[in-house]
Amino acid sequence: MQEYRMLSTSGILGYGYAEDSLKIGMSWEPHVIGCDGGSTDPGPYYLGAGKSFTSRLSVKRDLRLMLLAAMAARIPCIIGTSGGAGGEPHLRDTAALVREIAREERLSFKMALIHAEQPKRDLLSWIEKGLTKPLSRMKPLEAAMVHNAERIVGMMGPEPFMKALDEGAQVILAGRSSDPAQWAAPAIRAGMAPAPSWYAGKMLECGAEPTVPKEPDCIFLRVRDDHVICEPPNPIRRSTPLAVANFALHENSSPIHHVEPGGLLDTSACNFIPVSDRAVKIDGMTWTPADQYTIKLEGVEKAGYRAIAICGTRDPVLIGQIDSYLETHRTKVAAKAQSFGVPPEDYSLNVHCYGRDGVMGGWEPERAITSHELGFVIEVLGKTQDIANAVLAMARTSMLHADFPGRLCKEGNMAFPFSPSDIEMGAMYRFSVFHTVAVDDPCAMFPIEYEKV
Amino acid sequence: MALIRDIAQICKSKNAGPFNITIDVLFEDHALYHRVKATGVLSAPLFARLYGVSVMDVLFTPYDTAAAFKATFPRRIPAGDFGDTDVYGAQQHAPLLDIDIPLD
């Protein structure tokens, strides 16, 4: 094959894209259309809670247009990391949405669901066999970490997608998957070299990110023997060498070494060459297969329950002594919580102070406050929701009424924008599993279910 | 002398997974990039100093073909954990904007 063409509609399914971009992109005759559905980027909550960070309404809109386009052109439609985090509830909800759209539009196709959530007994056996390794600064995976986890997913490579395509799936919904894998899969399967196929995946995973002006929209990639061409269908956007180079750095530790399941994409010798005023050719990438195929594991555990309140001060006397005020506040809350039966070990209190170091916290180098007002988010993490709510209510009232030297505002020290002032956030999760597992068969952890929609 | 904010086209921060922050600086003008690189100011020790992390923990890579510098280091608090202020890690680049590069 001389050229393999792929159309990605957006950075994340549900972020939206221009309908005209899709039409123009389809007129360029792609061999596959798709969209990445998720990421760990919005934090641990969504994997833990089994919910999506995109709305059902917007996902349905994005998906409906894609399914209609794919069926009309008779090409596969592939969604990676369904439902945001790619666990079982996320995959199930996305599948329900696809069936609903198919009913409404009278579409019929073969659908593949590729599961990525990992059973705890499997994880325990991998630990016993010594197949797991920690990533970042995690400690080695232990049975207790598996037992404590709310949900653990494996991040699939391209092989399960290829298998589903071999079986004739027209719509593929995957659980957690490496962002470029859903694109590398059909391109490599069509006979294209792995290096440009993976690189194309890197460009496609975030939609129109490698373009200016930057906004969620479609991107179109042509994979050829030793290079790719990146071009946005929407005529208001342009891929420029700077935009493409910028995106090549996206969310990776290294700009030149991209570790993927099954190998390493090396971009150190890449060239970014404009081929028109709105398309860029990238060549020079290499792919080195790994000696050992590994799958990344992502898991979260419940850290407790959270409640927050928002308020602000415009009082210069208070702003001038905010550090000591917050310290006094913390001590008062501790004493009052203890008095109604909540010991310090049962909760954590944090007051985000916007106007001082609300954005950078401990990394903030600027120590002087230059603003005439400060905003606060009072955050309490409790062992139970009741504890979080009770401590937050006390922290809120203490923020409003605690005394300070030189105080003239004898009624209250804070402006609260809302009633109710206290917001129950529910369960809070934290990343607890970030490891790899060595596998012989890249498909074994990812069972595929087929259905006729 | 020139501040990064005045000479770079892109300066941004982002998560590289839930436990790392990565900061990118890109130049449109490759010649300017090479002059900046030659000063040696952008380096692992600079990021270690700005963000209070160990030099050993900073992965610093100049990327010549993209006229870019990249530094990746551990987050102060993992993304979304208690006390985190920036789940996406998208607003941690600011201290770099004021770094002065001794260009002639």
Side-chain angles (χ1 to χ4, degrees), chain A residues 182-378:
Chain A
Q182 71 172 93
W183 306 104
I188 294 170
R189 185 173 169 272
M192 309 309 294
S197 300
W198 276 101
Y199 197 96
K202 288 269 165 208
M203 290 291 112
L204 288 152
E205 63 162 279
C206 259
E209 286 266 342
T211 69
V212 284
K214 208 182 102 168
E215 209 180 346
D217 204 351
C218 305
I219 193 80
F220 196 93
L221 262 286
R222 295 163 193 276
V223 183
R224 297 188 184 147
D225 287 344
D226 59 354
H227 67 273
V228 299
I229 307 268
C230 180
E231 183 175 4
N234 192 332
I236 68 163
R237 286 180 223 298
R238 300 187 303 128
S239 277
T240 62
L242 179 68
V244 171
N246 173 46
F247 185 67
L249 304 174
H250 178 73
E251 284 180 0
N252 268 295
S253 301
S254 160
I256 51 178
H257 294 138
H258 303 259
V259 183
E260 290 294 340
L264 178 78
L265 177 68
D266 189 320
T267 64
S268 47
C270 276
N271 300 295
F272 306 96
I273 310 138
V275 290
S276 75
D277 66 343
R278 47 193 315 284
V280 172
K281 171 183 166 181
I282 308 114
D283 66 10
M285 61 287 278
T286 61
W287 172 261
T288 311
D291 294 335
Q292 171 64 57
Y293 199 103
T294 54
I295 295 288
K296 186 159 98 171
L297 301 167
E298 292 169 357
V300 298
E301 65 183 18
K302 198 181 278 177
Y305 296 82
R306 187 149 53 181
I308 63 167
I310 300 166
C311 58
T313 178
R314 177 66 178 77
D315 188 319
V317 184
L318 177 54
I319 290 172
Q321 52 188 297
I322 191 61
D323 287 326
S324 61
Y325 183 80
L326 290 178
E327 202 40 57
T328 309
H329 173 256
R330 175 177 290 278
T331 313
K332 285 189 175 180
V333 173
K336 289 177 179 174
Q338 190 98 48
S339 78
F340 59 67
V342 177
E345 60 270 22
D346 281 5
Y347 73 92
S348 305
L349 168 70
N350 185 30
V351 180
H352 298 259
C353 179
Y354 287 92
R356 189 190 58 183
D357 58 6
V359 172
M360 295 196 69
W363 273 349
E364 179 56 63
E366 195 71 62
R367 299 318 298 175
I369 296 172
T370 53
S371 175
H372 59 282
E373 62 179 30
L374 292 177
F376 304 95
V377 177
I378 312 166

Side-chain angles (χ1 to χ4, degrees), chain B residues 7-74:
Chain B
I7 57 173
Q9 269 63 54
I10 294 172
C11 178
K12 60 181 174 125
S13 68
K14 190 81 176 83
N15 291 340
F19 303 101
N20 290 309
I21 287 276
T22 189
I23 299 188
D24 303 333
V25 185
L26 285 87
F27 294 83
E28 200 147 32
D29 177 347
H30 283 244
L32 176 59
Y33 161 80
H34 283 290
R35 284 169 64 209
V36 172
K37 187 180 172 188
T39 68
V41 170
L42 288 179
S43 60
L46 172 76
F47 286 91
R49 179 170 66 75
L50 285 181
Y51 293 90
V53 295
S54 155
V55 177
M56 301 293 291
D57 286 337
V58 180
L59 173 66
F60 178 77
T61 324
Y63 185 20
D64 289 356
T65 183
F69 300 92
K70 189 176 194 57
T72 305
F73 46 90

Side-chain angles (χ1 to χ4, degrees), chain A residues 89-162:
Chain A
H90 309 93
L91 187 60
R92 194 177 56 231
D93 290 351
T94 310
L97 207 45
V98 168
R99 291 184 203 109
E100 192 175 301
I101 294 166
R103 257 196 320 276
E104 289 168 7
E105 301 291 345
R106 297 172 187 277
L107 297 175
S108 177
F109 43 80
K110 183 172 181 176
M111 177 162 75
L113 303 182
I114 314 180
H115 300 270
E117 195 168 321
Q118 302 302 314
K120 289 192 173 175
R121 59 171 187 281
D122 291 357
L123 285 144
L124 296 171
S125 83
W126 300 330
I127 294 173
E128 271 177 30
K129 289 177 194 154
L131 298 174
T132 63
K133 274 191 188 153
L135 286 171
S136 290
R137 300 172 137 197
M138 304 299 287
K139 55 179 191 171
L141 195 60
E142 291 165 11
M145 293 156 78
V146 171
H147 288 303
N148 287 340
E150 192 75 22
R151 195 183 314 286
I152 300 173
V153 292
M155 184 192 269
M156 71 185 79
E159 293 80 3
F161 291 99
M162 294 184 188

